[in-house]
Amino acid sequence: RRLVGFQYLQNKLDCTEYEAEHAIMRTLQLYPDVREVRLFKNYRYFYDASMSEEDLRATVAMKENYIRMTKGRDNRIGHNWEAVAEWFIDRFTTGARFYTQNHRTNGMDPRRITLHLLKGVGGRRNNAEVDRVWEVTPGIFAPPITYVLSCKWGLVTKRDVDDFLDVLRWSTEFGVDTPDGRTVKQGVVGVFAGSAFNPTENVRLKDDTVISLASYAARMEIQLLKAADFNEKLRERDCPKEVTVQKICKVAGDEDDVREILQAIWKNPEKSGEILAEALERN
């Protein structure tokens, strides 16, 4: 009488996301009593066919209510993480000019950019969002470089990096056709910001060489930004080790609050602990 989520099964199996995906696919093929249900057309859960329709409806309703509560918090933290990455990029990039875009959805940050896709990527058919796009001109005679940012709060895997790269390739804005296939335009650099990158995930190349996820991203010409990189900047500013960007993401009410907290901490690092405590009490 339980719905079991994909993440739960992966943790129980103690395997990679790809291994769990394959195991579940084979299980559904071999054991017809194991059924799959998608909540909100997105979250995958599994149950035994012996569960009655009444019990299934009740269990689905409870799980959907749980998802509403937890995912609402996760969405807020995820958006706050985007604001953290943006703030540090803006602070440490000379001459950065961020793109903006009007959106139909009220409250959506104008710096979040919608791209048009020539081919569906990861379930997205016509459009895909990237979290920030900015342009830097290195010199008066040098062509501008366009940076495209994607953020993920949580453990980043190879699939996340590949999905981002596919979005860039198949977008009308940043992709181009070549004799070797679809690729990212020259002068466009992908930047992936994650709170943590899976340190145990290795990537096997065609020649059977095994490299780390960070090395793989570098080969794909994608820059990686980690929460530890931003925390190092706070340490250089003499902020205590208890003050981290992860805590800022969790206590801030929204993206504007993130920017205000970081600005206050940067201006008065000796009071950063108090500033964070005040934000926690306020929100």
Side-chain angles (χ1 to χ4, degrees), residues 82 85-86 89-90 93 95-101 103 109-115 128-136 145-151 164 167-168 171 173-174 187-191:
E82 295 170 19
E86 173 205 295
I89 290 166
D90 204 8
T93 306
R97 184 181 67 83
F98 283 87
Y99 289 19
T100 59
Q101 193 176 74
H103 298 284
D109 196 304
R111 290 189 175 187
R112 193 171 295 122
I113 303 299
T114 299
L115 305 182
E129 290 179 7
V130 291
D131 296 312
R132 299 293 185 273
V133 179
W134 69 99
E135 193 175 274
V136 176
I145 301 173
T146 303
Y147 294 86
V148 186
L149 174 70
S150 180
C151 297
F164 175 46
V167 166
L168 294 181
S171 69
E173 292 84 355
F174 301 122
V188 175
V189 179
V191 182

mmCIF file of all heavy atoms in Angstrom, residues 82 85-86 89-90 93 95-101 103 109-115 128-136 145-151 164 167-168 171 173-174 187-191:
data_model
loop_
_atom_site.group_PDB
_atom_site.id
_atom_site.type_symbol
_atom_site.label_atom_id
_atom_site.label_comp_id
_atom_site.label_asym_id
_atom_site.label_seq_id
_atom_site.Cartn_x
_atom_site.Cartn_y
_atom_site.Cartn_z
ATOM 1 N N GLU A 82 19.979 30.286 -8.255
ATOM 2 C CA GLU A 82 20.221 31.030 -9.489
ATOM 3 C C GLU A 82 20.675 32.461 -9.168
ATOM 4 O O GLU A 82 21.589 32.992 -9.811
ATOM 5 C CB GLU A 82 18.953 31.078 -10.335
ATOM 6 C CG GLU A 82 18.480 29.735 -10.853
ATOM 7 C CD GLU A 82 17.097 29.813 -11.466
ATOM 8 O OE1 GLU A 82 16.674 30.944 -11.805
ATOM 9 O OE2 GLU A 82 16.439 28.772 -11.605
ATOM 10 N N ALA A 85 24.371 32.492 -7.997
ATOM 11 C CA ALA A 85 25.305 32.402 -9.123
ATOM 12 C C ALA A 85 25.367 33.717 -9.888
ATOM 13 O O ALA A 85 26.447 34.206 -10.242
ATOM 14 C CB ALA A 85 24.892 31.260 -10.046
ATOM 15 N N GLU A 86 24.199 34.313 -10.127
ATOM 16 C CA GLU A 86 24.150 35.585 -10.850
ATOM 17 C C GLU A 86 24.917 36.670 -10.102
ATOM 18 O O GLU A 86 25.680 37.433 -10.697
ATOM 19 C CB GLU A 86 22.701 36.005 -11.036
ATOM 20 C CG GLU A 86 22.514 37.389 -11.618
ATOM 21 C CD GLU A 86 21.172 37.999 -11.238
ATOM 22 O OE1 GLU A 86 20.139 37.461 -11.668
ATOM 23 O OE2 GLU A 86 21.166 39.011 -10.510
ATOM 24 N N ILE A 89 28.682 36.145 -10.387
ATOM 25 C CA ILE A 89 29.113 36.403 -11.763
ATOM 26 C C ILE A 89 29.154 37.902 -12.017
ATOM 27 O O ILE A 89 30.118 38.434 -12.585
ATOM 28 C CB ILE A 89 28.174 35.704 -12.758
ATOM 29 C CG1 ILE A 89 28.375 34.178 -12.693
ATOM 30 C CG2 ILE A 89 28.408 36.201 -14.182
ATOM 31 C CD1 ILE A 89 27.283 33.395 -13.377
ATOM 32 N N ASP A 90 28.110 38.607 -11.585
ATOM 33 C CA ASP A 90 28.036 40.058 -11.772
ATOM 34 C C ASP A 90 29.158 40.763 -11.013
ATOM 35 O O ASP A 90 29.762 41.721 -11.502
ATOM 36 C CB ASP A 90 26.670 40.556 -11.292
ATOM 37 C CG ASP A 90 26.279 41.866 -11.959
ATOM 38 O OD1 ASP A 90 26.990 42.295 -12.888
ATOM 39 O OD2 ASP A 90 25.270 42.459 -11.556
ATOM 40 N N THR A 93 32.802 39.626 -12.783
ATOM 41 C CA THR A 93 32.975 39.675 -14.238
ATOM 42 C C THR A 93 32.925 41.119 -14.699
ATOM 43 O O THR A 93 31.876 41.775 -14.616
ATOM 44 C CB THR A 93 31.876 38.861 -14.955
ATOM 45 O OG1 THR A 93 31.847 37.532 -14.430
ATOM 46 C CG2 THR A 93 32.164 38.804 -16.443
ATOM 47 N N GLY A 95 32.489 44.095 -17.013
ATOM 48 C CA GLY A 95 31.799 44.408 -18.261
ATOM 49 C C GLY A 95 30.713 43.433 -18.657
ATOM 50 O O GLY A 95 30.317 43.398 -19.827
ATOM 51 N N ALA A 96 30.214 42.632 -17.710
ATOM 52 C CA ALA A 96 29.167 41.667 -18.045
ATOM 53 C C ALA A 96 27.847 42.391 -18.321
ATOM 54 O O ALA A 96 27.412 43.233 -17.531
ATOM 55 C CB ALA A 96 28.977 40.679 -16.903
ATOM 56 N N ARG A 97 27.219 42.043 -19.433
ATOM 57 C CA ARG A 97 25.915 42.620 -19.789
ATOM 58 C C ARG A 97 24.906 41.487 -19.870
ATOM 59 O O ARG A 97 24.944 40.656 -20.775
ATOM 60 C CB ARG A 97 26.002 43.354 -21.129
ATOM 61 C CG ARG A 97 24.717 44.061 -21.528
ATOM 62 C CD ARG A 97 24.864 44.733 -22.874
ATOM 63 N NE ARG A 97 25.025 43.771 -23.958
ATOM 64 C CZ ARG A 97 24.006 43.152 -24.564
ATOM 65 N NH1 ARG A 97 22.752 43.380 -24.160
ATOM 66 N NH2 ARG A 97 24.240 42.305 -25.554
ATOM 67 N N PHE A 98 23.989 41.437 -18.915
ATOM 68 C CA PHE A 98 23.015 40.355 -18.845
ATOM 69 C C PHE A 98 21.869 40.595 -19.813
ATOM 70 O O PHE A 98 21.381 41.712 -19.956
ATOM 71 C CB PHE A 98 22.462 40.221 -17.422
ATOM 72 C CG PHE A 98 23.403 39.534 -16.470
ATOM 73 C CD1 PHE A 98 24.353 40.256 -15.783
ATOM 74 C CD2 PHE A 98 23.342 38.158 -16.272
ATOM 75 C CE1 PHE A 98 25.227 39.636 -14.906
ATOM 76 C CE2 PHE A 98 24.210 37.529 -15.399
ATOM 77 C CZ PHE A 98 25.160 38.266 -14.716
ATOM 78 N N TYR A 99 21.436 39.537 -20.473
ATOM 79 C CA TYR A 99 20.256 39.597 -21.325
ATOM 80 C C TYR A 99 19.010 39.628 -20.436
ATOM 81 O O TYR A 99 18.995 39.065 -19.339
ATOM 82 C CB TYR A 99 20.153 38.361 -22.214
ATOM 83 C CG TYR A 99 21.165 38.273 -23.337
ATOM 84 C CD1 TYR A 99 22.344 39.008 -23.321
ATOM 85 C CD2 TYR A 99 20.958 37.411 -24.406
ATOM 86 C CE1 TYR A 99 23.271 38.910 -24.339
ATOM 87 C CE2 TYR A 99 21.876 37.301 -25.442
ATOM 88 C CZ TYR A 99 23.038 38.054 -25.398
ATOM 89 O OH TYR A 99 23.948 37.933 -26.410
ATOM 90 N N THR A 100 17.964 40.264 -20.916
ATOM 91 C CA THR A 100 16.668 40.247 -20.234
ATOM 92 C C THR A 100 15.583 39.903 -21.239
ATOM 93 O O THR A 100 15.759 40.048 -22.452
ATOM 94 C CB THR A 100 16.353 41.600 -19.578
ATOM 95 O OG1 THR A 100 16.351 42.623 -20.577
ATOM 96 C CG2 THR A 100 17.366 41.944 -18.502
ATOM 97 N N GLN A 101 14.454 39.460 -20.717
ATOM 98 C CA GLN A 101 13.360 39.024 -21.575
ATOM 99 C C GLN A 101 12.048 39.177 -20.820
ATOM 100 O O GLN A 101 11.964 38.852 -19.636
ATOM 101 C CB GLN A 101 13.589 37.555 -21.958
ATOM 102 C CG GLN A 101 12.737 37.026 -23.073
ATOM 103 C CD GLN A 101 13.126 35.582 -23.410
ATOM 104 O OE1 GLN A 101 12.817 34.660 -22.663
ATOM 105 N NE2 GLN A 101 13.832 35.397 -24.524
ATOM 106 N N HIS A 103 8.324 38.076 -19.825
ATOM 107 C CA HIS A 103 7.660 36.779 -19.731
ATOM 108 C C HIS A 103 6.171 36.972 -19.461
ATOM 109 O O HIS A 103 5.767 37.947 -18.826
ATOM 110 C CB HIS A 103 8.277 35.940 -18.610
ATOM 111 C CG HIS A 103 9.725 35.635 -18.823
ATOM 112 N ND1 HIS A 103 10.174 34.697 -19.717
ATOM 113 C CD2 HIS A 103 10.849 36.167 -18.240
ATOM 114 C CE1 HIS A 103 11.503 34.644 -19.693
ATOM 115 N NE2 HIS A 103 11.924 35.532 -18.813
ATOM 116 N N ASP A 109 11.707 35.910 -13.246
ATOM 117 C CA ASP A 109 12.836 36.825 -13.349
ATOM 118 C C ASP A 109 13.109 37.152 -14.818
ATOM 119 O O ASP A 109 13.235 36.249 -15.650
ATOM 120 C CB ASP A 109 14.082 36.184 -12.712
ATOM 121 C CG ASP A 109 15.173 37.209 -12.442
ATOM 122 O OD1 ASP A 109 15.590 37.892 -13.390
ATOM 123 O OD2 ASP A 109 15.612 37.317 -11.283
ATOM 124 N N PRO A 110 13.199 38.447 -15.170
ATOM 125 C CA PRO A 110 13.437 38.816 -16.573
ATOM 126 C C PRO A 110 14.798 38.370 -17.083
ATOM 127 O O PRO A 110 15.022 38.343 -18.305
ATOM 128 C CB PRO A 110 13.322 40.345 -16.560
ATOM 129 C CG PRO A 110 13.552 40.745 -15.139
ATOM 130 C CD PRO A 110 13.011 39.636 -14.306
ATOM 131 N N ARG A 111 15.716 38.008 -16.164
ATOM 132 C CA ARG A 111 17.026 37.528 -16.614
ATOM 133 C C ARG A 111 17.008 36.039 -16.954
ATOM 134 O O ARG A 111 18.013 35.512 -17.432
ATOM 135 C CB ARG A 111 18.090 37.804 -15.545
ATOM 136 C CG ARG A 111 18.431 39.275 -15.391
ATOM 137 C CD ARG A 111 19.634 39.484 -14.485
ATOM 138 N NE ARG A 111 20.028 40.878 -14.420
ATOM 139 C CZ ARG A 111 21.123 41.333 -13.822
ATOM 140 N NH1 ARG A 111 21.932 40.483 -13.215
ATOM 141 N NH2 ARG A 111 21.418 42.607 -13.815
ATOM 142 N N ARG A 112 15.893 35.362 -16.696
ATOM 143 C CA ARG A 112 15.758 33.971 -17.132
ATOM 144 C C ARG A 112 15.297 33.997 -18.589
ATOM 145 O O ARG A 112 14.333 34.673 -18.926
ATOM 146 C CB ARG A 112 14.766 33.236 -16.246
ATOM 147 C CG ARG A 112 14.800 31.715 -16.427
ATOM 148 C CD ARG A 112 13.966 31.013 -15.383
ATOM 149 N NE ARG A 112 14.523 31.216 -14.052
ATOM 150 C CZ ARG A 112 13.872 31.769 -13.044
ATOM 151 N NH1 ARG A 112 12.631 32.179 -13.204
ATOM 152 N NH2 ARG A 112 14.453 31.922 -11.880
ATOM 153 N N ILE A 113 15.989 33.261 -19.448
ATOM 154 C CA ILE A 113 15.804 33.384 -20.890
ATOM 155 C C ILE A 113 15.205 32.107 -21.475
ATOM 156 O O ILE A 113 15.656 30.999 -21.171
ATOM 157 C CB ILE A 113 17.158 33.686 -21.582
ATOM 158 C CG1 ILE A 113 17.784 34.958 -20.992
ATOM 159 C CG2 ILE A 113 16.964 33.822 -23.084
ATOM 160 C CD1 ILE A 113 16.958 36.219 -21.156
ATOM 161 N N THR A 114 14.193 32.278 -22.328
ATOM 162 C CA THR A 114 13.580 31.162 -23.037
ATOM 163 C C THR A 114 14.219 31.019 -24.412
ATOM 164 O O THR A 114 14.286 31.989 -25.179
ATOM 165 C CB THR A 114 12.065 31.382 -23.192
ATOM 166 O OG1 THR A 114 11.469 31.470 -21.894
ATOM 167 C CG2 THR A 114 11.430 30.219 -23.946
ATOM 168 N N LEU A 115 14.695 29.803 -24.721
ATOM 169 C CA LEU A 115 15.295 29.496 -26.019
ATOM 170 C C LEU A 115 14.312 28.693 -26.863
ATOM 171 O O LEU A 115 13.441 28.001 -26.342
ATOM 172 C CB LEU A 115 16.583 28.686 -25.831
ATOM 173 C CG LEU A 115 17.661 29.283 -24.920
ATOM 174 C CD1 LEU A 115 18.877 28.364 -24.898
ATOM 175 C CD2 LEU A 115 18.053 30.678 -25.373
ATOM 176 N N ALA A 128 12.990 25.844 -24.242
ATOM 177 C CA ALA A 128 13.716 25.451 -23.034
ATOM 178 C C ALA A 128 14.238 26.725 -22.375
ATOM 179 O O ALA A 128 14.564 27.706 -23.059
ATOM 180 C CB ALA A 128 14.877 24.515 -23.359
ATOM 181 N N GLU A 129 14.291 26.708 -21.057
ATOM 182 C CA GLU A 129 14.764 27.883 -20.327
ATOM 183 C C GLU A 129 16.208 27.692 -19.879
ATOM 184 O O GLU A 129 16.609 26.588 -19.505
ATOM 185 C CB GLU A 129 13.889 28.143 -19.096
ATOM 186 C CG GLU A 129 12.498 28.632 -19.421
ATOM 187 C CD GLU A 129 11.672 28.859 -18.170
ATOM 188 O OE1 GLU A 129 12.242 28.758 -17.060
ATOM 189 O OE2 GLU A 129 10.471 29.106 -18.298
ATOM 190 N N VAL A 130 16.965 28.775 -19.939
ATOM 191 C CA VAL A 130 18.275 28.830 -19.297
ATOM 192 C C VAL A 130 18.209 29.933 -18.248
ATOM 193 O O VAL A 130 17.411 30.863 -18.353
ATOM 194 C CB VAL A 130 19.409 29.078 -20.310
ATOM 195 C CG1 VAL A 130 19.610 27.867 -21.204
ATOM 196 C CG2 VAL A 130 19.142 30.322 -21.147
ATOM 197 N N ASP A 131 19.038 29.823 -17.240
ATOM 198 C CA ASP A 131 18.852 30.676 -16.070
ATOM 199 C C ASP A 131 19.416 32.085 -16.247
ATOM 200 O O ASP A 131 18.852 33.034 -15.722
ATOM 201 C CB ASP A 131 19.462 29.997 -14.847
ATOM 202 C CG ASP A 131 18.741 28.694 -14.531
ATOM 203 O OD1 ASP A 131 17.495 28.718 -14.510
ATOM 204 O OD2 ASP A 131 19.397 27.660 -14.325
ATOM 205 N N ARG A 132 20.510 32.215 -16.960
ATOM 206 C CA ARG A 132 21.060 33.541 -17.233
ATOM 207 C C ARG A 132 21.871 33.478 -18.518
ATOM 208 O O ARG A 132 22.460 32.453 -18.861
ATOM 209 C CB ARG A 132 21.986 34.028 -16.098
ATOM 210 C CG ARG A 132 21.339 34.169 -14.717
ATOM 211 C CD ARG A 132 20.309 35.265 -14.662
ATOM 212 N NE ARG A 132 19.799 35.460 -13.317
ATOM 213 C CZ ARG A 132 18.781 34.794 -12.783
ATOM 214 N NH1 ARG A 132 18.157 33.869 -13.501
ATOM 215 N NH2 ARG A 132 18.361 35.057 -11.561
ATOM 216 N N VAL A 133 21.910 34.608 -19.235
ATOM 217 C CA VAL A 133 22.777 34.767 -20.402
ATOM 218 C C VAL A 133 23.433 36.132 -20.288
ATOM 219 O O VAL A 133 22.746 37.129 -20.046
ATOM 220 C CB VAL A 133 21.978 34.681 -21.727
ATOM 221 C CG1 VAL A 133 22.914 34.883 -22.917
ATOM 222 C CG2 VAL A 133 21.251 33.348 -21.842
ATOM 223 N N TRP A 134 24.750 36.169 -20.441
ATOM 224 C CA TRP A 134 25.423 37.455 -20.399
ATOM 225 C C TRP A 134 26.535 37.492 -21.434
ATOM 226 O O TRP A 134 27.018 36.462 -21.907
ATOM 227 C CB TRP A 134 25.969 37.765 -19.007
ATOM 228 C CG TRP A 134 27.118 36.924 -18.536
ATOM 229 C CD1 TRP A 134 28.440 37.230 -18.556
ATOM 230 C CD2 TRP A 134 27.028 35.618 -17.930
ATOM 231 N NE1 TRP A 134 29.191 36.213 -18.025
ATOM 232 C CE2 TRP A 134 28.345 35.219 -17.628
ATOM 233 C CE3 TRP A 134 25.967 34.765 -17.620
ATOM 234 C CZ2 TRP A 134 28.637 33.988 -17.027
ATOM 235 C CZ3 TRP A 134 26.250 33.540 -17.034
ATOM 236 C CH2 TRP A 134 27.562 33.168 -16.741
ATOM 237 N N GLU A 135 26.909 38.691 -21.780
ATOM 238 C CA GLU A 135 27.888 38.922 -22.840
ATOM 239 C C GLU A 135 29.048 39.734 -22.286
ATOM 240 O O GLU A 135 28.856 40.662 -21.495
ATOM 241 C CB GLU A 135 27.210 39.669 -23.997
ATOM 242 C CG GLU A 135 27.993 39.708 -25.280
ATOM 243 C CD GLU A 135 27.198 40.362 -26.392
ATOM 244 O OE1 GLU A 135 26.418 39.666 -27.073
ATOM 245 O OE2 GLU A 135 27.334 41.600 -26.559
ATOM 246 N N VAL A 136 30.253 39.353 -22.705
ATOM 247 C CA VAL A 136 31.461 40.068 -22.297
ATOM 248 C C VAL A 136 32.279 40.367 -23.544
ATOM 249 O O VAL A 136 32.503 39.475 -24.370
ATOM 250 C CB VAL A 136 32.306 39.239 -21.309
ATOM 251 C CG1 VAL A 136 33.602 39.976 -20.977
ATOM 252 C CG2 VAL A 136 31.522 38.957 -20.033
ATOM 253 N N ILE A 145 32.007 37.481 -26.227
ATOM 254 C CA ILE A 145 31.799 36.100 -25.813
ATOM 255 C C ILE A 145 30.474 36.040 -25.061
ATOM 256 O O ILE A 145 30.213 36.862 -24.178
ATOM 257 C CB ILE A 145 32.940 35.598 -24.903
ATOM 258 C CG1 ILE A 145 34.278 35.690 -25.640
ATOM 259 C CG2 ILE A 145 32.679 34.162 -24.451
ATOM 260 C CD1 ILE A 145 35.466 35.363 -24.754
ATOM 261 N N THR A 146 29.641 35.082 -25.433
ATOM 262 C CA THR A 146 28.335 34.915 -24.797
ATOM 263 C C THR A 146 28.389 33.716 -23.854
ATOM 264 O O THR A 146 28.776 32.613 -24.267
ATOM 265 C CB THR A 146 27.231 34.700 -25.834
ATOM 266 O OG1 THR A 146 27.217 35.808 -26.746
ATOM 267 C CG2 THR A 146 25.869 34.580 -25.172
ATOM 268 N N TYR A 147 28.007 33.939 -22.612
ATOM 269 C CA TYR A 147 27.975 32.879 -21.608
ATOM 270 C C TYR A 147 26.524 32.527 -21.298
ATOM 271 O O TYR A 147 25.683 33.411 -21.121
ATOM 272 C CB TYR A 147 28.682 33.327 -20.327
ATOM 273 C CG TYR A 147 30.168 33.549 -20.495
ATOM 274 C CD1 TYR A 147 30.659 34.769 -20.932
ATOM 275 C CD2 TYR A 147 31.082 32.536 -20.220
ATOM 276 C CE1 TYR A 147 32.023 34.991 -21.091
ATOM 277 C CE2 TYR A 147 32.446 32.747 -20.374
ATOM 278 C CZ TYR A 147 32.909 33.967 -20.808
ATOM 279 O OH TYR A 147 34.255 34.173 -20.970
ATOM 280 N N VAL A 148 26.241 31.232 -21.238
ATOM 281 C CA VAL A 148 24.890 30.755 -20.958
ATOM 282 C C VAL A 148 24.949 29.907 -19.695
ATOM 283 O O VAL A 148 25.729 28.953 -19.614
ATOM 284 C CB VAL A 148 24.328 29.917 -22.123
ATOM 285 C CG1 VAL A 148 22.864 29.570 -21.856
ATOM 286 C CG2 VAL A 148 24.464 30.669 -23.441
ATOM 287 N N LEU A 149 24.120 30.270 -18.723
ATOM 288 C CA LEU A 149 24.174 29.633 -17.400
ATOM 289 C C LEU A 149 22.967 28.732 -17.162
ATOM 290 O O LEU A 149 21.833 29.098 -17.446
ATOM 291 C CB LEU A 149 24.204 30.713 -16.314
ATOM 292 C CG LEU A 149 24.114 30.228 -14.859
ATOM 293 C CD1 LEU A 149 25.390 29.513 -14.428
ATOM 294 C CD2 LEU A 149 23.833 31.410 -13.918
ATOM 295 N N SER A 150 23.247 27.551 -16.631
ATOM 296 C CA SER A 150 22.199 26.658 -16.136
ATOM 297 C C SER A 150 22.542 26.294 -14.703
ATOM 298 O O SER A 150 23.700 25.997 -14.386
ATOM 299 C CB SER A 150 22.107 25.393 -16.993
ATOM 300 O OG SER A 150 21.094 24.537 -16.501
ATOM 301 N N CYS A 151 21.546 26.341 -13.817
ATOM 302 C CA CYS A 151 21.768 26.073 -12.395
ATOM 303 C C CYS A 151 20.962 24.859 -11.948
ATOM 304 O O CYS A 151 19.853 24.633 -12.431
ATOM 305 C CB CYS A 151 21.359 27.274 -11.537
ATOM 306 S SG CYS A 151 22.320 28.762 -11.832
ATOM 307 N N PHE A 164 21.953 19.933 -20.637
ATOM 308 C CA PHE A 164 22.257 21.349 -20.854
ATOM 309 C C PHE A 164 22.967 21.542 -22.188
ATOM 310 O O PHE A 164 22.636 22.453 -22.958
ATOM 311 C CB PHE A 164 23.117 21.859 -19.700
ATOM 312 C CG PHE A 164 23.607 23.268 -19.851
ATOM 313 C CD1 PHE A 164 22.751 24.279 -20.252
ATOM 314 C CD2 PHE A 164 24.926 23.596 -19.588
ATOM 315 C CE1 PHE A 164 23.201 25.598 -20.389
ATOM 316 C CE2 PHE A 164 25.381 24.892 -19.717
ATOM 317 C CZ PHE A 164 24.521 25.895 -20.121
ATOM 318 N N VAL A 167 20.520 21.276 -25.026
ATOM 319 C CA VAL A 167 19.703 22.487 -25.147
ATOM 320 C C VAL A 167 20.455 23.553 -25.942
ATOM 321 O O VAL A 167 19.890 24.202 -26.838
ATOM 322 C CB VAL A 167 19.314 23.017 -23.755
ATOM 323 C CG1 VAL A 167 18.756 24.448 -23.861
ATOM 324 C CG2 VAL A 167 18.273 22.117 -23.111
ATOM 325 N N LEU A 168 21.739 23.737 -25.643
ATOM 326 C CA LEU A 168 22.531 24.727 -26.371
ATOM 327 C C LEU A 168 22.658 24.337 -27.844
ATOM 328 O O LEU A 168 22.484 25.176 -28.738
ATOM 329 C CB LEU A 168 23.923 24.849 -25.751
ATOM 330 C CG LEU A 168 24.003 25.414 -24.325
ATOM 331 C CD1 LEU A 168 25.452 25.488 -23.869
ATOM 332 C CD2 LEU A 168 23.373 26.792 -24.254
ATOM 333 N N SER A 171 19.234 24.710 -29.783
ATOM 334 C CA SER A 171 18.536 25.997 -29.743
ATOM 335 C C SER A 171 18.854 26.780 -31.010
ATOM 336 O O SER A 171 19.954 26.675 -31.572
ATOM 337 C CB SER A 171 18.960 26.797 -28.506
ATOM 338 O OG SER A 171 20.309 27.228 -28.622
ATOM 339 N N GLU A 173 19.164 29.906 -31.046
ATOM 340 C CA GLU A 173 19.993 31.037 -30.638
ATOM 341 C C GLU A 173 21.475 30.681 -30.542
ATOM 342 O O GLU A 173 22.341 31.482 -30.928
ATOM 343 C CB GLU A 173 19.524 31.576 -29.282
ATOM 344 C CG GLU A 173 18.155 32.241 -29.301
ATOM 345 C CD GLU A 173 17.004 31.244 -29.177
ATOM 346 O OE1 GLU A 173 17.268 30.016 -29.176
ATOM 347 O OE2 GLU A 173 15.860 31.688 -29.059
ATOM 348 N N PHE A 174 21.796 29.484 -30.055
ATOM 349 C CA PHE A 174 23.196 29.177 -29.740
ATOM 350 C C PHE A 174 23.742 27.935 -30.448
ATOM 351 O O PHE A 174 24.902 27.589 -30.275
ATOM 352 C CB PHE A 174 23.358 29.008 -28.222
ATOM 353 C CG PHE A 174 22.957 30.214 -27.438
ATOM 354 C CD1 PHE A 174 21.971 30.136 -26.468
ATOM 355 C CD2 PHE A 174 23.533 31.446 -27.692
ATOM 356 C CE1 PHE A 174 21.586 31.260 -25.743
ATOM 357 C CE2 PHE A 174 23.163 32.579 -26.976
ATOM 358 C CZ PHE A 174 22.176 32.487 -26.007
ATOM 359 N N GLY A 187 32.179 31.153 -29.837
ATOM 360 C CA GLY A 187 31.942 32.350 -29.047
ATOM 361 C C GLY A 187 30.858 32.194 -28.013
ATOM 362 O O GLY A 187 30.521 33.151 -27.313
ATOM 363 N N VAL A 188 30.272 30.978 -27.899
ATOM 364 C CA VAL A 188 29.252 30.694 -26.887
ATOM 365 C C VAL A 188 29.836 29.691 -25.893
ATOM 366 O O VAL A 188 30.334 28.629 -26.289
ATOM 367 C CB VAL A 188 27.967 30.124 -27.507
ATOM 368 C CG1 VAL A 188 26.969 29.727 -26.421
ATOM 369 C CG2 VAL A 188 27.344 31.143 -28.456
ATOM 370 N N VAL A 189 29.784 30.022 -24.618
ATOM 371 C CA VAL A 189 30.348 29.177 -23.560
ATOM 372 C C VAL A 189 29.244 28.782 -22.587
ATOM 373 O O VAL A 189 28.531 29.647 -22.067
ATOM 374 C CB VAL A 189 31.476 29.913 -22.792
ATOM 375 C CG1 VAL A 189 32.033 29.024 -21.676
ATOM 376 C CG2 VAL A 189 32.577 30.341 -23.750
ATOM 377 N N GLY A 190 29.087 27.494 -22.369
ATOM 378 C CA GLY A 190 28.122 27.008 -21.392
ATOM 379 C C GLY A 190 28.714 27.010 -19.999
ATOM 380 O O GLY A 190 29.873 26.633 -19.807
ATOM 381 N N VAL A 191 27.931 27.440 -19.020
ATOM 382 C CA VAL A 191 28.359 27.459 -17.619
ATOM 383 C C VAL A 191 27.296 26.734 -16.809
ATOM 384 O O VAL A 191 26.121 27.092 -16.856
ATOM 385 C CB VAL A 191 28.539 28.903 -17.089
ATOM 386 C CG1 VAL A 191 29.040 28.883 -15.640
ATOM 387 C CG2 VAL A 191 29.484 29.687 -17.981
#
